[in-house]
Amino acid sequence: MSDDRYIYDLSEGDATMRHLLGGKGAGVAEMNRVGVPVPDAFTVTTTACVQTMKRRGEWPEGLADQVAEGLKRLEERTGRTLGGTEKPLLVSVRSGAVHSMPGMMDTILNLGISDESVEAVAAESGNERFAWDCYRRFIQMYGEVVEGVPQHLYEDALSELKHARGVAQDTDLSAEDLKQLVGTFKEISNEHLGGEWTSDPVEQLNRAIDAVFKSWLNPRAEVYRRANNIPADLGTAVNIMQMVFGNRGDTSATGVCFTRNPSTGEKALYGEFLVNAQGEDVVAGIRTPRPLEEMKEVLPEAYDELIATMHKMEQHYKDMQDMEFTVENGKLYLLQTRNGKRTAAAALKVASDLVDEGLLTTEEALLRIEPGQLDQLLHPAIDPSHGKDAIAQGLPASPGAAVGEVVFDADTAAERGGRGEPVVLVRFETTPDDIHGVIVAQGILTAHGGMTSHAAVVARGMGKPCVAGAQGIRIDPVGKTLTIGDRVIREGDVITLDGTEGLVYGEALDLIPPQINEDFKRVVQWADEVRNLGVRANADNFEDASKARELGAEGIGLCRTEHMFMAQDRLPAVRKMILAETPEQRSAALAEILPMQQTDFESIFTAMKGLPVTVRLLDPPLHEFLPNLVEQSLLVQRLELEGGDEQELGEARATLAQVKRLHEQNPMLGTRGCRLAMLYPEIPDMQARAIVRAALAVLDREGETVGVEIMIPLVALTQELDAQRAVVVAAVEDELAKAGRTLEYTVGTMIELPRAALVADKIAEYADFFSFGTNDLTQTTIGISRDDAENGFLTQYVMDRVLERNPFESIDVEGVGQLVRMGVEKGRSVKPTLKTGVCGEHGGDPDSIEFFNSVGLNYVSCSPFRVPIARFAAAKAVLKQR
């Protein structure tokens, strides 16, 4: 027999053994330890499940023997025998994951009842109807969970019998009716199995345990784990618990209760119960439950004991509890307690109230809240009482909700949205060229793209809901239709997006406003008192900068200048600059752009005055500012065929020639960032002058300005940074000399290439600060294109657990993370006070923030609407490290 221990009796467990006994097993054991009435039980550990999965479904050596011994001890303690003809023992077999996964795995009740034991159950209880009710329930649950019999076969038979008897409720069926139903259920089971199913209760128990193990891997559990970042290798425990019966008549009941309202967090009675019922009747909606308050009239003694127990468990766990209970012949039993799932608003209120009640310190309260929950409170949400079905589902790329008329191109979105009309931009996928439409749209829906696609990143930055990569939708941008199944939605039709859940509705639904309340402000203030990391925002315009400051940003960690270049009123001048054939022509074109850039910087600096702003010099390749190669070729062809205006044709040909010249097979690794600036130093020169002029103008107008930080992108070689720093410094000093002014400023670089991290000590000699661009660093380290990977193999990699997380959503600590760590350590080996931050999308991810805190970064920078989340996550990172 193996030395591994897979079974623990109820009396041997407690709350600290959650990793072994699962949440349910540890919770029941803890309740037993503190004197709460619970049924006797034993638990099969999570280790047994994990070992079974590793052995491809075969139980580990010794498990079967240990189950038999655990059952024998339970029989001795209860004075009952599983399946016995006298004093039979009936048990429930229930899953119990380490992390709460309500409803995701399987349960079997009343195991041990059979043709041999049903009469003994009837005789002992004095209630024949109760015995046959337990039997029909067992056959159905066992058949569905263990033998795979389709649920509807049993439900159809039950409905037919109720119809024949002219009754509406299961409770209206007589003992004879239920006896007949047991016979029907047996026939259904045997027909599905092609033979007699086993009636040996010990074999049934083993098969039930095995079925619960397997349910850890069922599709809904997989989806839930992925959505909640629960590791797939934890396994589930299995709890074998003596049955207590809420269906023994009018003095018995079953129910679920929360110690506080899980929607609002209010300290108020919240729960439901049913008389003469078993647990699945409540959770499955088989019958309409009654409010918990009514239990006081029906079962007053059990009600009073339940209220006292709820209070006791909340005081014990120092958190809102979600509890399941059964009353059998007037006696109360608790079947489960766990920290209750709650809305974000409720989570904040509960935490705040528990601090006021003296149950928690502020630091303990912070640990009870998940940073991601705060996201729900920063965006409008769909009124949860809508009762409508979604017509499509995609990725919840950016949270919140949006209602608007469908449009299929960015120009229409910009035109209609600019007039104040609510529109939802529907695209196959968005590109940077769509930015003018995205800015004014209420939300974005794409058929293509992932959680960090362009649409997702931009939408999150603007606090706009986005559903990306929606499955099964077909977009016809020419015919301006969106087809979902048999339904055709035309331009102008109204839809609703739920970016929090990734759902699309084919009509207008009511929205509720963001719930930023005093609890929110209070809890985030607690976080500020704990965290070490600074929190900045990625912002490219006055609106984003203002929103970021309102939400607590301590500066801008990334101001991207390419969005300014792409604005419609800038493109003619930008293209003139690109088409220039001499440095003089290029400088003349840039002179047109400079005042536009200065105006942009002035607005951002005004919003952030008194705080630091990191401006990234132009990063993308020039071809992004030119027309598409195919489209420009067709334009030239059309003008030639139609004999168009010679000047227009000449300009079109010149543009086509430049498009062809700038075309690259892999532009993300081509002439962009500092490489472009090395070829055209006039560009960084112009941008540096615009930054300085804007900073001085804001200083003159407002009496203070920003801390100017100029960032040079895509540096791999020290020679690049040395040369570019010289261009920037020369331009800045020239502007200051002409103005007769002084201005504090720093020049740093973006670490987004592995080589830059590897030689960070050398690069640091020319840099005042490092900002890690973890989006590109992830691409170049793992060797994958973000958009191609997310639309290709990456989703499957995550589903198959080749990767635990999408590395663009949460940083790859083992690979990319080590380059970040190395970059920080090497940089500070040369400059001990070197300021380091991160400005990729990872700056708003709580798990990534925990890593950045451990590395010793000075700050993270993220989308404006993720600033409170980052503030909160940075505090939790400190508390976890302690």
Side-chain angles (χ1 to χ4, degrees):
M1 180 176 168
S2 169
D3 292 332
D4 290 319
R5 183 175 182 185
Y6 299 119
I7 302 294
Y8 285 81
D9 292 340
L10 178 69
S11 61
E12 297 177 297
D14 60 45
T16 66
M17 300 172 68
R18 188 184 188 93
H19 66 292
L20 263 185
L21 307 182
K24 189 173 286 133
V28 173
E30 184 72 6
M31 285 193 289
N32 178 67
R33 190 181 70 82
V34 298
V36 171
V38 297
D40 206 344
F42 67 91
T43 298
V44 184
T45 65
T46 56
T47 307
C49 177
V50 170
Q51 290 299 320
T52 300
M53 288 189 294
K54 287 181 178 177
R55 296 162 64 99
R56 299 184 183 277
E58 179 185 347
W59 282 14
E61 182 184 353
L63 176 56
D65 291 337
Q66 291 186 40
V67 169
E69 292 165 3
L71 174 61
K72 183 178 179 182
R73 292 193 298 272
L74 179 62
E75 289 176 331
E76 290 171 352
R77 292 196 301 270
T78 60
R80 297 179 174 275
T81 304
L82 188 71
T85 55
E86 293 183 12
K87 297 191 70 176
L89 172 66
L90 272 60
V91 297
S92 63
V93 183
R94 310 174 80 191
S95 62
V98 176
H99 302 287
S100 178
M101 296 172 57
M104 295 301 108
M105 291 174 292
D106 293 324
T107 293
I108 298 111
L109 302 181
N110 304 317
L111 192 148
I113 198 164
S114 62
D115 291 347
E116 291 74 26
S117 62
V118 65
E119 295 297 346
V121 172
E124 184 179 354
S125 65
N127 187 335
E128 186 179 21
R129 187 197 176 284
F130 154 71
W132 289 100
D133 185 46
C134 291
Y135 198 4
R136 66 95 181 177
R137 290 172 183 271
F138 169 68
I139 295 172
Q140 179 170 355
M141 296 187 83
Y142 186 89
E144 291 172 16
V145 172
V146 179
E147 305 295 355
V149 181
Q151 178 184 17
H152 73 87
L153 297 178
Y154 298 115
E155 291 297 331
D156 290 347
L158 176 58
S159 297
E160 287 175 14
L161 180 60
K162 288 194 289 186
H163 179 73
R165 297 293 184 267
V167 300
Q169 300 289 341
D170 302 358
T171 49
D172 296 326
L173 295 173
S174 68
E176 284 302 314
D177 294 333
L178 293 169
K179 190 172 184 178
Q180 177 183 325
L181 191 61
V182 165
T184 303
F185 278 9
K186 284 184 186 177
E187 292 173 4
I188 290 170
S189 301
N190 289 336
E191 182 178 349
H192 181 80
L193 294 170
E196 292 285 326
W197 72 337
T198 180
S199 59
D200 177 359
V202 174
E203 183 179 347
Q204 287 177 343
L205 175 61
N206 289 341
R207 286 170 64 82
I209 293 170
D210 201 48
V212 174
F213 284 166
K214 289 175 181 175
S215 73
W216 173 253
L217 299 175
N218 71 38
R220 66 178 183 270
E222 286 277 6
V223 170
Y224 187 91
R225 283 198 296 276
R226 282 199 299 272
N228 292 276
N229 299 320
I230 298 173
D233 57 359
L234 294 180
T236 180
V238 184
N239 301 284
I240 293 87
M241 181 180 290
Q242 180 183 6
M243 282 294 304
V244 288
F245 301 99
N247 59 333
R248 284 191 68 164
D250 292 341
T251 59
S252 301
T254 188
V256 176
C257 59
F258 291 79
T259 57
R260 299 180 190 234
N261 186 314
S263 294
T264 66
E266 296 291 334
K267 191 171 185 179
L269 199 59
Y270 190 98
E272 297 174 320
F273 81 107
L274 278 171
V275 171
N276 195 19
Q278 286 199 327
E280 75 269 21
D281 296 344
V282 176
V283 297
I286 295 171
R287 290 163 53 191
T288 303
R290 300 167 64 177
L292 196 60
E293 293 89 336
E294 295 181 11
M295 187 175 159
K296 187 171 186 177
E297 304 301 323
V298 181
L299 298 164
E301 292 182 5
Y303 172 83
D304 289 342
E305 187 177 2
L306 176 63
I307 298 301
T309 303
M310 290 167 66
H311 178 72
K312 180 176 184 177
M313 297 316 297
E314 184 173 272
Q315 294 283 313
H316 182 74
Y317 280 101
K318 299 182 179 181
D319 204 351
M320 182 187 88
Q321 295 298 291
D322 169 6
M323 308 170 75
E324 295 179 21
F325 66 89
T326 287
V327 180
E328 180 180 4
N329 284 339
K331 179 172 175 53
L332 176 72
Y333 294 91
L334 274 295
L335 308 182
Q336 174 173 296
T337 191
R338 60 188 174 197
N339 293 340
K341 299 288 184 184
R342 65 205 81 176
T343 66
L348 297 181
K349 179 161 182 57
V350 169
S352 184
D353 286 353
L354 289 176
V355 169
D356 290 341
E357 293 166 22
L359 283 179
L360 296 179
T361 65
T362 57
E363 292 187 355
E364 289 171 333
L366 289 172
L367 288 170
R368 301 292 175 89
I369 303 168
E370 289 303 316
Q373 280 189 301
L374 302 184
D375 220 0
Q376 299 175 25
L377 302 178
L378 299 170
H379 306 271
I382 295 173
D383 187 331
S385 64
H386 63 82
K388 304 294 183 181
D389 293 325
I391 59 173
Q393 181 165 13
L395 297 171
S398 184
V403 179
E405 295 184 10
V406 170
V407 296
F408 292 94
D409 64 90
D411 290 339
T412 304
E415 179 186 347
R416 296 187 54 191
R419 295 198 300 259
E421 299 176 27
V423 295
V424 172
L425 179 60
V426 178
R427 300 283 280 152
F428 180 71
E429 62 182 347
T430 65
T431 70
D433 289 334
D434 293 325
I435 189 69
H436 58 298
V438 171
I439 287 172
V440 295
Q442 300 298 305
I444 300 96
L445 168 64
T446 71
H448 204 52
M451 294 289 284
T452 55
S453 64
H454 176 266
V457 171
V458 172
R460 280 198 294 271
M462 296 180 176
K464 293 181 185 292
C466 175
V467 177
Q471 302 169 3
I473 73 172
R474 299 192 305 279
I475 298 171
D476 179 0
V478 178
K480 296 187 180 300
T481 60
L482 166 66
T483 304
I484 303 173
D486 297 329
R487 181 166 183 173
V488 178
I489 296 171
R490 304 185 185 281
E491 187 159 275
D493 291 348
V494 176
I495 64 172
T496 300
L497 300 183
D498 184 343
T500 305
E501 300 293 334
L503 300 175
V504 183
Y505 296 88
E507 58 199 295
L509 300 182
D510 291 335
L511 303 185
I512 56 177
Q515 303 174 58
I516 300 177
N517 54 26
E518 289 306 314
D519 293 323
F520 180 96
K521 295 174 184 176
R522 186 183 187 199
V523 169
V524 175
Q525 182 59 44
W526 294 341
D528 290 340
E529 295 167 2
V530 173
R531 64 183 169 90
N532 296 324
L533 276 171
V535 177
R536 299 189 187 184
N538 302 337
D540 313 330
N541 53 57
F542 175 80
E543 291 75 21
D544 284 356
S546 299
K547 177 55 69 173
R549 186 160 194 157
E550 176 190 332
L551 295 174
E554 297 162 322
I556 291 178
L558 176 62
C559 175
R560 293 163 287 211
T561 53
E562 56 267 24
H563 287 170
M564 304 171 188
F565 275 61
M566 286 174 176
Q568 290 298 306
D569 60 338
R570 317 288 169 82
L571 275 177
V574 173
R575 288 177 178 174
K576 189 186 297 183
M577 179 267 293
I578 296 171
L579 295 171
E581 296 180 356
T582 66
E584 291 75 21
Q585 290 176 340
R586 189 170 299 109
S587 294
L590 287 167
E592 291 183 40
I593 301 172
L594 191 153
M596 302 176 188
Q597 284 254 289
Q598 179 180 336
T599 300
D600 291 326
F601 291 136
E602 282 189 38
S603 68
I604 294 169
F605 293 174
T606 299
M608 301 303 290
K609 60 188 177 184
L611 298 174
V613 173
T614 304
V615 180
R616 182 178 71 186
L617 301 183
L618 190 64
D619 185 43
L622 290 181
H623 82 274
E624 288 197 10
F625 304 99
L626 293 176
N628 176 273
L629 175 61
V630 174
E631 292 175 357
Q632 191 65 21
S633 298
L634 291 173
L635 173 62
V636 170
Q637 186 179 51
R638 180 176 63 79
L639 291 172
E640 289 174 341
L641 291 172
E642 294 176 354
D645 179 79
E646 280 300 320
Q647 182 178 348
E648 184 182 1
L649 178 59
E651 291 175 355
R653 284 172 174 164
T655 300
L656 177 60
Q658 191 71 320
V659 168
K660 288 180 177 179
R661 191 176 71 80
L662 293 174
H663 178 74
E664 295 177 315
Q665 293 298 319
N666 190 347
M668 290 306 294
L669 296 179
T671 310
R672 54 170 282 226
C674 70
R675 301 164 187 172
L676 179 65
M678 293 288 282
L679 294 180
Y680 304 122
E682 302 92 344
I683 297 175
D685 176 271
M686 178 277 293
Q687 290 194 293
R689 292 177 187 277
I691 292 168
V692 173
R693 292 181 190 181
L696 293 176
V698 172
L699 178 60
D700 291 339
R701 186 172 61 246
E702 304 290 335
E704 62 177 333
T705 191
V706 297
V708 174
E709 300 177 352
I710 301 173
M711 182 160 67
I712 297 167
L714 211 71
V715 165
L717 308 166
T718 54
Q719 293 88 339
E720 292 170 324
L721 184 56
D722 185 19
Q724 287 302 296
R725 181 186 180 97
V727 171
V728 169
V729 170
V732 171
E733 293 299 332
D734 183 53
E735 286 295 321
L736 293 176
K738 288 176 181 177
R741 308 286 294 278
T742 59
L743 180 72
E744 293 292 326
Y745 68 96
T746 56
V747 181
T749 189
M750 204 167 187
I751 305 293
E752 49 192 324
L753 297 173
R755 191 181 194 281
L758 292 168
V759 297
D761 49 344
K762 293 182 173 63
I763 287 177
E765 295 177 15
Y766 303 93
D768 300 322
F769 64 87
F770 284 172
S771 180
F772 291 88
T774 52
N775 295 344
D776 273 354
L777 189 58
T778 297
Q779 292 193 108
T780 52
T781 300
I782 303 178
I784 56 179
S785 163
R786 181 176 68 185
D787 290 339
D788 291 338
E790 288 192 324
N791 295 322
F793 67 88
L794 196 54
T795 299
Q796 194 64 44
Y797 265 38
V798 174
M799 289 179 65
D800 293 344
R801 298 290 177 178
V802 177
L803 289 167
E804 281 299 316
R805 299 279 299 276
N806 179 335
F808 295 107
E809 294 176 21
S810 191
I811 195 164
D812 163 35
V813 172
E814 289 183 343
V816 179
Q818 294 316 301
L819 288 173
V820 174
R821 186 185 298 276
M822 180 186 296
V824 173
E825 292 175 351
K826 284 201 162 197
R828 287 181 177 161
S829 71
V830 174
K831 290 184 177 176
T833 60
L834 182 73
K835 183 163 61 178
T836 59
V838 63
C839 59
E841 280 298 297
H842 298 106
D845 170 61
D847 291 336
S848 303
I849 287 170
E850 186 175 339
F851 169 73
F852 296 141
N853 182 75
S854 71
V855 171
L857 294 185
N858 295 100
Y859 67 88
V860 295
S861 188
C862 57
S863 304
F865 282 89
R866 295 188 71 80
V867 165
I869 298 165
R871 292 162 64 191
F872 192 87
K876 285 200 77 168
V878 171
L879 297 175
K880 283 186 176 181
Q881 251 186 338
R882 289 180 187 172

